[in-house]
Amino acid sequence: MKKWLNYLPTIFIITIVMSLIFYSSQGTTEQMNYSRFKDVAEHAEFEDSTLTISTTIIQVEGSYKTEGKDAISGFRVIVPNTEANLEWLETTLTEDGGRLTIADPNQNSVWINLLVNLIPFLIIGVFFYLMFSKMGGSGSNKAFEFAKSKARVESNVKVRFKDVAGCEEEKEEVKEIIDYLRSPKKFTDMGAHIPKGVLMVGPPGTGKTLLAKAVAGEANVPFFSISGSDFVEMFVGTGASRVRDMFKNAQKSAPCIVFIDEIDAVGRQRGAGMGGGNDEREQTLNQLLVEMDGMTDNNGIVIIAATNRPDVLDPALLRSGRFDRRVTVNLPDIKGREEILQVHARNKKLASDVSLENLARRTPGFSGADLANVLNEGAILAVRNKETQITMNDLDEAIDRVMMGPAKKSKKYTEKDKLLVAYHEAGHAVIGLKLEDADMVQKVTIIPRGEAGGYNLMTPREEKYFHRKSEFLAKITGLLGGRTSEELVFGEISAGAVNDIEQLTKIAKNMVRVYGMSSLGPIQYADPQGNVFLGRDYTQGGNYSNGVAAEIDKEVRKIIDECHENCRKILEENRDLLDLIAKSLVERETLTNEEITNLMNYGQITNPNEPVEVQEPKEVEVKEPVETEVPPKPPVGVEKQDLDDALNELTKKKD
C-alpha cells in the first residue's frame, strides 16, 4: 500500500492531463436544442452525421459548414422520435451530399457512459481520500491513540532464573508468584491471595528488571513492560487514560505480569513540593491506585515495580493490598559476584589464568551491571591487543577502567610531581599495611586515571553488613595517608587529596550525626528526609539548635584530628617502608599486592625464598672482542642515585 501511495501524485497528474484532453476535444462540439438546430439546418451544409434512435428520442451528432465559411463545426442535438422528424432529418442531413449513419442505441449503455464520465472524478476523489487518510494517520487519528498505553508486550520471555545470579533470597521471595500464575486454584482453595504488587528496591544495576523478566519467563505468561515516565504527558488526564488502557489490555491477557520501571516518576507523594503538586502526575497516580486495589478486581494481574528511591513514594501506593511485598535487591556479595561473572562469562573466551573467584574478591561494591561491563571491557581490550583469549591482565585493566577511567599514559609528570604522587600513594599503602582495621591494598599506581593523578585500589579484608567505630576511624586514617605523607616528606601539602578530604569528612559527619559515635551520645542530628523538593520540613529548618551545631562541628574536627595524629605516628614509625614503596613506584609506576607485601617483608619486589628456575647455559661460539666505543646509557625515569640524593636532602631538611 505504501508503494502505491508513492505513485499517487504521478497518477493524479496523468489523470488531470487526460481529462483536459478529453474535455478539450469536446470543446468544438456545440450542444444545441431542437429550435436552434432547425434554424442552423436552413443554411448549413451537413457532412457526416449519426442518428441514434431510441424509443422516445433521436440523438443526432455530426458536423456542418455554414454558408460562406470553410470552418467545420460539430453539433449534438436531441430530437423527439416521431415519423415526421425522422423523415425530415434524413432529408436535411443528406441534402448536400452528406453521409448519414444509423447507430445502434444499445451499443453504448447509459451506465458505461456514466462510468466514463465519472472515472476522472473517482480518481481525484480516491487520491484526496488517501492523502487525507495518510495525513490523519499522524495527526487527527493519533489524537485517539494518544491516550492508549505504551506498554510493550512480550508473549514468550526467554529469561529464566538461571540467567539471574547473585540474588538467591530474592528469587525465593517471588517464587510464590510463579506458582500462583501457573496454578492459582491451589491458592484460592486455601483461601490465600497472592500479592497484587511486588516492589523491587535496590541500587541501579542490581538486576531488578532482569529478575522481573525471569518471573514472567518461569511462569510462561505475557510480560507487559512500561516506564513510569511513559504515563506522564503535558495534557492532564492522558496518564490516567493510559493506565486504564494498560490494565484493560492486561485483563485480556490475564494471567500476566505488568512491570513498571522507575515507578517513582509517577508514584511520588501527592501534594508535595513547592507550589503544590503536578496535576497530571497526581491524576495518573490516583488512577493507578484505583486499578491496583479499587472498586474493580484485576484477577490474574501481578504488578511488579522497580525503583531506587522508595523514600519518595506515596504511602497509599505502599499499603497492603497494593504493593504487598517489598523485595530489596542489594549489591551482591563475593559469592554473588562470582556467580554473576560466571553467567556473563558464558560466551567469553577466557584464558586459563583467569580466576573469576579472584576477580570477585577484587570488585567489592560492584553491581551486576558493573561486573558485566568489566567482562565486556576485558573482551574489547583483548580484541584491541589482537589476542585470542581474554587474559587476567585484560580484566585487571578493565576493573581500573570501570572504576577510574582509562589510563592517561601520554600525560607526563615533572620529576618533582612524580615523586609527590609516589609518596602520596605510598602513604595510603603504608596505612593499609600497618593499620589492623584498614582496607587491604590490592594495587598502587601513579599512572593518571580520570581526574586522579594516582590510584590506590584498597578492598575490605572481609565484607560486612555492619561496621564498627574502629573501622570508620581506620577508614578516615587511610584516607589521610596521602596528605600526611606529603606533610611528612615535603613539609607542604598539595591539592591532590581533595577527593580524600571529601570522603573522610562525610564519614566523620555520619559518625556524629547519624550513627551516634561521639560524645554527643546516641542522638541522630541528621535530617532523615533529606529531600527539600518534596516540600517536607522546608520551612522548619534543622532539628537542633545552633549550640548543638557547634558541638557537632567540634566532634567532627576532633575525630579527624585524632585520625590525623595516628596517621602521622604510623608513617613516622614506618618511614623506611614509605620511602621504599615510593622509590619502587617511581621506578615501576605500578605495584601489585604481592609486590607491596614483598617490599614490606623482604625489602625487595620479589620473594627471595621462592625457587628460581635456572636455565643451563647454551654453548656459543666465542669470537674475538672488537674494541668499540660504547655510548653512555640514556637515563630512564629517575636514576637511583638522583632519587637517593633527593631523599637524603628531604630528610636533612626535615631534621
Side-chain angles (χ1 to χ4, degrees), residues 269-284:
Q269 291 192 14
R270 292 166 290 181
M274 298 300 296
N278 183 298
D279 284 341
E280 161 62 2
R281 180 173 54 78
E282 292 186 2
Q283 287 196 21
T284 305

Side-chain angles (χ1 to χ4, degrees), residues 328-481:
T328 302
V329 187
N330 285 318
L331 293 172
D333 56 8
I334 182 172
K335 181 182 177 182
R337 291 196 298 272
E338 184 177 357
E339 294 174 354
I340 293 172
L341 288 171
Q342 290 174 356
V343 170
H344 291 291
R346 291 173 182 172
N347 61 341
K348 303 290 191 303
K349 296 180 180 179
L350 301 179
S352 58
D353 66 332
V354 173
S355 172
L356 296 181
E357 180 181 0
N358 186 21
L359 201 63
R361 292 183 181 276
R362 299 176 57 184
T363 52
F366 275 46
S367 65
D370 294 331
L371 295 172
N373 194 20
V374 167
L375 290 177
N376 185 62
E377 287 289 340
I380 292 174
L381 290 172
V383 174
R384 183 182 301 175
N385 298 332
K386 299 181 179 180
E387 300 170 349
T388 58
Q389 291 179 322
I390 304 173
T391 64
M392 200 63 187
N393 291 332
D394 296 328
L395 296 176
D396 181 66
E397 175 64 20
I399 294 175
D400 295 339
R401 291 172 69 91
V402 171
M403 294 184 66
M404 301 292 295
K408 299 180 180 180
K409 297 182 179 180
S410 61
K411 185 176 180 180
K412 300 298 182 182
Y413 282 124
T414 63
E415 297 301 331
K416 186 176 181 180
D417 289 342
K418 191 172 186 180
L419 194 64
L420 177 69
V421 175
Y423 268 100
H424 182 100
E425 301 302 333
H428 289 301
V430 170
I431 299 299
L433 292 171
K434 294 300 181 179
L435 193 59
E436 180 180 357
D437 292 322
D439 292 342
M440 186 170 54
V441 181
Q442 292 287 352
K443 180 181 179 181
V444 181
T445 179
I446 60 173
I447 298 175
R449 284 184 181 274
E451 297 181 359
Y455 173 47
N456 199 322
L457 177 60
M458 304 180 72
T459 60
R461 300 180 187 273
E462 58 180 350
E463 297 185 30
K464 300 178 181 180
Y465 288 101
F466 301 102
H467 298 277
R468 305 188 307 272
K469 179 179 178 180
S470 59
E471 293 172 350
F472 285 122
L473 295 175
K475 180 73 173 179
I476 296 174
T477 305
L479 291 170
L480 286 167

Side-chain angles (χ1 to χ4, degrees), residues 519-559:
S519 61
L520 295 179
I523 302 175
Q524 189 178 73
Y525 296 103
D527 183 6
Q529 308 297 344
N531 297 306
V532 175
F533 73 93
L534 286 176
R536 297 179 300 201
D537 302 330
Y538 186 82
T539 59
Q540 295 181 9
N543 53 359
Y544 47 83
S545 64
N546 293 333
V548 174
E551 292 294 328
I552 291 174
D553 292 339
K554 290 180 181 179
E555 289 295 325
V556 172
R557 182 181 296 275
K558 179 181 177 182
I559 290 174

Side-chain angles (χ1 to χ4, degrees), residues 227-230 232 261-268 281 307 312-313:
S227 173
S229 60
D230 288 336
V232 183
D261 197 11
E262 304 297 342
I263 195 173
D264 53 277
V266 69
R268 290 185 179 180
R281 180 173 54 78
T307 181
V312 304
L313 296 179

Side-chain angles (χ1 to χ4, degrees), residues 217-284:
E218 292 287 345
N220 194 22
V221 295
F223 182 74
F224 290 77
S225 60
I226 191 171
S227 173
S229 60
D230 288 336
F231 290 115
V232 183
E233 290 286 351
M234 179 178 65
F235 304 106
V236 177
T238 303
S241 179
R242 289 180 178 177
V243 172
R244 288 191 296 268
D245 186 67
M246 181 184 69
F247 278 88
K248 180 181 177 181
N249 296 333
Q251 191 69 45
K252 296 177 182 178
S253 303
C256 64
I257 290 176
V258 176
F259 177 69
I260 305 176
D261 197 11
E262 304 297 342
I263 195 173
D264 53 277
V266 69
R268 290 185 179 180
Q269 291 192 14
R270 292 166 290 181
M274 298 300 296
N278 183 298
D279 284 341
E280 161 62 2
R281 180 173 54 78
E282 292 186 2
Q283 287 196 21
T284 305

